[in-house]
Amino acid sequence: MPKQKTNSGAKKRFSFTGTGKIKRNKAYHSHILTKKTKKQKKNLVRSTIVDRSNMKQVRDLLNLR
């Protein structure tokens, strides 16, 4: 049986914390920034942890079981 491939888009977008949680960057910070407040833009810069409800999907993309 052939090896499973990791989704190449996902491996660029997700990384792991020291405790094994999956880290992601927030969306909506690439363009149309003029109508967003300073507070919104500042908060979009930070990374966050992938939600429990999406964890299975992300793990499948990264080929982790």
Side-chain angles (χ1 to χ4, degrees), residues 7-62:
N7 183 288
S8 59
K11 70 183 170 189
K12 295 169 193 170
R13 287 174 171 81
F14 299 106
S15 59
F16 293 92
T17 62
T19 56
K21 295 176 184 171
I22 303 174
K23 205 165 55 165
R24 68 170 178 88
N25 290 324
K26 294 185 180 177
Y28 306 112
H29 194 258
S30 57
H31 58 92
I32 314 177
L33 299 172
T34 52
K35 61 177 78 172
K36 294 178 183 134
T37 64
K38 288 179 182 178
K39 185 178 180 180
Q40 270 181 302
K41 291 185 278 193
K42 181 184 68 179
N43 288 331
L44 288 170
V45 170
R46 300 188 194 137
S47 60
T48 185
I49 303 296
V50 171
D51 193 65
R52 256 183 354 144
S53 59
N54 298 322
M55 195 67 75
K56 185 182 183 306
Q57 294 166 316
V58 174
R59 289 181 70 82
D60 285 346
L61 287 171
L62 294 173

Side-chain angles (χ1 to χ4, degrees), residues 1-6 63 65:
M1 191 166 181
K3 291 181 181 177
Q4 293 292 313
K5 290 190 176 178
T6 301
N63 204 22
R65 293 202 172 90

